[in-house]
Amino acid sequence: MSDKEFNRKVYLQDKPRQQAKEELIEKAKLIPEIETVATRAALGRVTALPIFANLSMPHYHASAMDGVAVRAEDTYEAHEQRPLHLKRNVDYIYVDTGNPIPSEYNAVIMVEDIQEIDSETIEIIAPATPWQNIRPVGEDVVCGEMILPQGHILRPVDLGALLAGGVLELPVVKKPKVAILPTGNELVQPGSPMKPGDIIEFNGTVFSSFVQEWGGDPLLFDIVVDNPMHIRQAIEKAADEADMIIINAGSSAGSKDYTVHVINELGHVYTHGIATRPGKPVILGEVKGKPIIGVPGYPVSAYLALEWFLRPLVYHYQGIQEPKRETLNVRLGRRVVSNMGAEDFVRMNVGFVNGEYIANPLTRAAGVTMSMVRADGILVVPADSQGLEQGEEVEIELYKPLQSIKKGVLFTGSHDLSIDIVSSLLKKKDVNRQIISSHVGSLAGIMAIRKGEAHVTGIHLLDPETETYNQPYVEKYLSGQEVVVIPFLKREQGWIVPKGNPLNIKTLEDIVEKGVAYVNRQRGAGTRILFDSLLKKHSFTSEQIQGYEREMFSHLSVAAEVKEKENSVGLGVYSAASTMGLDFVPVADESYDLVMTKAFYESDGGKLFLEVIESSEFIKMVEQLGGYKVVQR
């Protein structure tokens, strides 16, 4: 079939996710294979059959203590008032823990309870009872007894019990082979020379790692170009070699999205499109009796789709229950807007503030891989909801241990590279502590402190009337609040321009007169306020600035945008320009200060935070970035 025959509109379904999952598992004809492995190499494998002991544990009567073996009936007359003397090799023998007990003896007296009279005689003052301090044959497991049932994930202690029971090898479920097919003309292997339009193929490595984590055996194929014949050949080969298939990209309904057509030609499509955001264009079907899942190219959509559909399949194949994540009730720090008709999966940051857990949404773009890296958990907004209000209590699934979340420092405010250094040094001092940062701008950071939704905020807010930084805003918005303001950094703000400054940008007038594309920061950001004050000071309006409405949420994002466009400029800090290999034209020195709640300031976490930012190691690392001077306290 030619490309043109595939070039037609296909409408995606809105099938409920749970219904699609149940249909896939029900129709998947998964027949697990059994293989025999050495017990010593079986950690994490799943038992395919019940495992029975070949030996009793212990397989002889063994002493449980260091002491002497005796006949209990010979000791009955012993009493503190009438000590009893016993003769060596006649009435007793010495034994150590684990020694076999000869058949003529039936009790062990601990060495602490005997008194040696001479090398051949001991004295006891209490009688022994039959079988005291003796491990009888089969105390742990009797030969022929079941050690483990089928469908059991083997742990370190299980391997010990199996070996002690004489089981040197055992039948386990053969790991399901999962073929992974990355597709796309734009994909290149990691390490390849890059040109505009190229995308590094990293999803395959992520998929393979998930498969391994869930107990499967990944088969990562080479990149398949967007061509129906090549896709067909790859799927047929995968169906011959694997138990289930993942095909990445090409699952939507565009003119170059061939996957659904090829699967339908080779087998059956059960589902094309589910009622979720992100992840809607998922394909579920079978080819040659093997379940196949087509997932979107966007990383977040793909990872979620794997969890919804591949993960249950892999566990189902192995005959074990799919594990559930820990959940946590949290209060929303910001409103979450949703559209009815589809489940919304929102990645969340979580912090423990003033005795309660506060959660804030991360970016919801399906292509932002770092939103999954940074996420502490995920919130599922039901399909019949239009969203959730700020302050509302909701339940989220956790991606990270609760202990590390509870000890995390919730930082909400203006972005600065120094905060990443603080986080690294905090973790160095306490492995459970790190900064959970949300780059929302200085004003939003102050409001988060005001509402008790953050521990610390970083601000650099210029008051145009007094031409002073930060204190006027603290007094205006945090009056009456118990907060601590910590002078932190002096840093340079300036024009971030392409290498060599080809347009010779030196002033605001140059930006206006030369029609340069300006890369702006979001409303409420200190850098945005500084730029607006410069406009006012020089009698310019925002309408005269090309690109004024385009907003970025960090200095690095501004620098990255400037690096992509030669005819562009942004206002930001020197360290961001330096990191991106750009030039920097100084405009103003500013004060970047920290505001924290008094409760956090006085807490163990707050004391550790202050210890870090006052350390010589931190000061050295920040000043190496350039454009900074740490304020000495």
Side-chain angles (χ1 to χ4, degrees):
M1 196 174 286
S2 68
D3 291 15
K4 290 183 178 179
E5 290 178 82
F6 283 121
N7 190 8
R8 60 182 183 276
K9 181 67 177 173
V10 176
Y11 290 94
L12 296 174
Q13 298 168 274
D14 276 314
K15 185 177 288 187
R17 176 175 58 94
Q18 189 62 28
Q19 178 187 339
K21 170 185 167 181
E22 291 171 357
E23 286 178 359
L24 178 66
I25 293 176
E26 180 184 343
K27 293 179 180 180
K29 302 175 180 64
L30 299 176
I31 304 175
E33 296 181 41
I34 298 175
E35 64 180 349
T36 300
V37 298
T39 301
R40 286 180 171 174
L43 182 65
R45 300 300 297 272
V46 178
T47 55
L49 300 169
I51 311 300
F52 297 91
N54 295 326
L55 292 174
S56 294
M57 297 187 289
H59 63 276
Y60 58 89
H61 296 324
S63 176
M65 300 286 177
D66 295 339
V68 295
V70 299
R71 290 178 291 274
E73 56 270 23
D74 292 345
T75 69
Y76 290 161
E77 293 181 3
H79 191 275
E80 331 184 287
Q81 305 299 324
R82 297 184 305 278
L84 183 64
H85 287 193
L86 302 176
K87 290 297 182 180
R88 186 173 185 176
N89 296 327
V90 175
D91 302 313
Y92 75 91
I93 61 169
Y94 279 101
V95 290
D96 293 328
T97 302
N99 284 168
I101 302 298
S103 59
E104 62 264 35
Y105 299 108
N106 65 356
V108 171
I109 301 173
M110 290 190 299
V111 69
E112 295 92 333
D113 295 335
I114 65 174
Q115 180 68 39
E116 288 190 350
I117 303 301
D118 56 43
S119 62
E120 298 297 321
T121 309
I122 63 171
E123 178 183 275
I124 61 173
I125 60 173
T129 57
W131 298 103
Q132 76 175 28
N133 299 324
I134 292 178
R135 298 188 65 211
V137 171
E139 179 191 53
D140 201 346
V141 172
V142 178
C143 180
E145 183 179 351
M146 186 173 73
I147 299 177
L148 295 170
Q150 71 185 77
H152 180 86
I153 302 173
L154 291 162
R155 305 164 298 170
V157 293
D158 299 326
L159 304 187
L162 289 167
L163 291 172
V167 180
L168 304 183
E169 57 182 26
L170 70 159
V172 296
V173 177
K174 192 173 183 179
K175 292 183 178 183
K177 283 184 166 51
V178 182
I180 299 164
L181 313 180
T183 71
N185 296 336
E186 72 282 4
L187 297 182
V188 296
Q189 294 292 357
S192 301
M194 299 287 288
K195 63 181 186 297
D198 286 347
I199 297 175
I200 294 173
E201 200 295 288
F202 58 84
N203 275 349
T205 297
V206 177
F207 293 3
S208 297
S209 301
F210 276 135
V211 170
Q212 287 179 302
E213 185 178 290
W214 300 333
D217 183 11
L219 304 176
L220 180 56
F221 279 50
D222 290 335
I223 296 167
V224 183
V225 298
D226 283 328
N227 175 284
M229 180 182 71
H230 290 87
I231 293 172
R232 184 188 303 109
Q233 290 172 348
I235 290 176
E236 287 183 313
K237 185 173 187 290
D240 290 334
E241 296 180 6
D243 300 298
M244 48 196 80
I245 307 161
I246 297 294
I247 183 164
N248 186 210
S251 65
S252 193
S255 62
K256 292 291 184 181
D257 293 322
Y258 304 121
T259 302
V260 70
H261 305 290
V262 174
I263 293 174
N264 211 30
E265 176 192 339
L266 297 176
H268 300 284
V269 173
Y270 310 144
T271 300
H272 186 203
I274 55 173
T276 64
R277 275 185 304 268
K280 177 184 172 67
V282 166
I283 303 167
L284 306 176
E286 62 87 13
V287 171
K288 295 186 180 181
K290 307 292 178 67
I292 183 168
I293 303 171
V295 298
Y298 279 134
V300 175
S301 298
Y303 304 162
L304 290 173
L306 285 193
E307 184 171 302
W308 298 334
F309 302 111
L310 179 63
R311 186 174 188 249
L313 269 183
V314 171
Y315 279 102
H316 180 72
Y317 179 97
Q318 296 174 90
I320 53 179
Q321 187 174 10
E322 184 182 0
K324 292 185 178 180
R325 290 196 183 93
E326 186 179 1
T327 60
L328 181 69
N329 288 331
V330 300
R331 182 162 66 86
L332 289 178
R334 295 205 296 275
R335 188 183 185 201
V336 176
V337 179
S338 182
N339 294 321
M340 293 183 67
E343 291 177 293
D344 225 336
F345 289 77
V346 187
R347 286 82 73 197
M348 307 292 288
N349 269 157
V350 185
F352 189 67
V353 184
N354 297 331
E356 64 179 338
Y357 292 98
I358 304 295
N360 289 306
L362 290 160
T363 178
R364 293 162 78 172
V368 182
T369 310
M370 286 303 295
S371 68
M372 292 295 283
V373 174
R374 295 190 175 112
D376 299 308
I378 194 158
L379 168 68
V380 183
V381 182
D384 59 357
S385 172
Q386 289 185 316
L388 301 162
E389 294 300 324
Q390 182 180 22
E392 191 170 341
E393 186 173 290
V394 296
E395 182 182 79
I396 65 170
E397 287 187 17
L398 294 181
Y399 284 159
K400 296 179 181 177
L402 186 59
Q403 178 66 11
S404 65
I405 291 174
K406 191 166 186 177
K407 295 184 77 173
V409 178
L410 198 58
F411 181 97
T412 305
S414 175
H415 168 257
D416 191 85
L417 295 176
S418 65
I419 302 305
D420 294 330
I421 297 174
V422 177
S423 184
S424 176
L425 294 179
L426 270 177
K427 197 169 183 66
K428 187 176 178 180
K429 289 181 175 291
D430 183 341
V431 294
N432 286 314
R433 287 198 193 276
Q434 62 179 337
I435 289 178
I436 303 165
S437 60
S438 181
H439 305 149
V440 297
S442 296
L443 273 178
I446 283 182
M447 298 311 293
I449 292 290
R450 178 174 174 173
K451 290 181 285 190
E453 294 166 355
H455 295 117
V456 188
T457 185
I459 60 173
H460 57 112
L461 293 165
L462 175 65
D463 178 34
E465 294 183 7
T466 63
E467 294 192 346
T468 60
Y469 273 91
N470 302 327
Q471 194 60 38
Y473 291 88
V474 173
E475 292 173 358
K476 178 179 180 180
Y477 293 107
L478 298 177
S479 177
Q481 302 263 106
E482 289 194 315
V483 298
V484 179
V485 180
I486 299 176
F488 185 40
L489 301 172
K490 296 293 185 181
R491 65 183 191 179
E492 285 184 315
Q493 285 264 24
W495 306 124
I496 298 175
V497 295
K499 191 69 175 175
N501 195 4
L503 297 178
N504 196 27
I505 301 298
K506 295 181 179 179
T507 65
L508 181 61
E509 287 83 353
D510 291 334
I511 294 173
V512 175
E513 292 171 4
K514 297 180 181 182
V516 182
Y518 182 70
V519 184
N520 209 353
R521 288 292 304 279
Q522 79 274 27
R523 296 177 188 276
T527 301
R528 171 77 165 253
I529 291 172
L530 173 60
F531 184 70
D532 287 346
S533 71
L534 290 173
L535 287 178
K536 185 176 180 180
K537 185 177 181 179
H538 291 84
S539 301
F540 290 123
T541 66
S542 60
E543 287 77 14
Q544 292 175 272
I545 303 299
Q546 182 182 329
Y548 180 87
E549 298 302 324
R550 180 90 186 275
E551 297 183 344
M552 297 293 166
F553 286 81
S554 73
H555 294 284
L556 283 176
S557 296
V558 170
E561 185 73 9
V562 171
K563 189 169 185 176
E564 285 297 308
K565 295 181 179 180
E566 287 191 3
N567 184 38
S568 63
V569 63
L571 186 61
V573 296
Y574 171 83
S575 57
S578 176
T579 299
M580 290 291 177
L582 302 171
D583 279 1
F584 181 82
V585 181
V587 171
D589 291 327
E590 65 174 10
S591 296
Y592 180 84
D593 297 333
L594 302 177
V595 182
M596 60 181 69
T597 63
K598 186 178 179 182
F600 176 71
Y601 176 80
E602 294 175 346
S603 70
D604 290 343
K607 292 173 183 175
L608 192 63
F609 188 100
L610 291 173
E611 183 183 323
V612 165
I613 65 175
E614 292 172 353
S615 69
S616 58
E617 185 177 10
F618 170 75
I619 293 170
K620 181 181 179 181
M621 292 175 73
V622 169
E623 293 185 347
Q624 282 177 344
L625 293 174
Y628 288 103
K629 183 177 181 181
V630 178
V631 178
Q632 300 293 321
R633 284 168 290 284

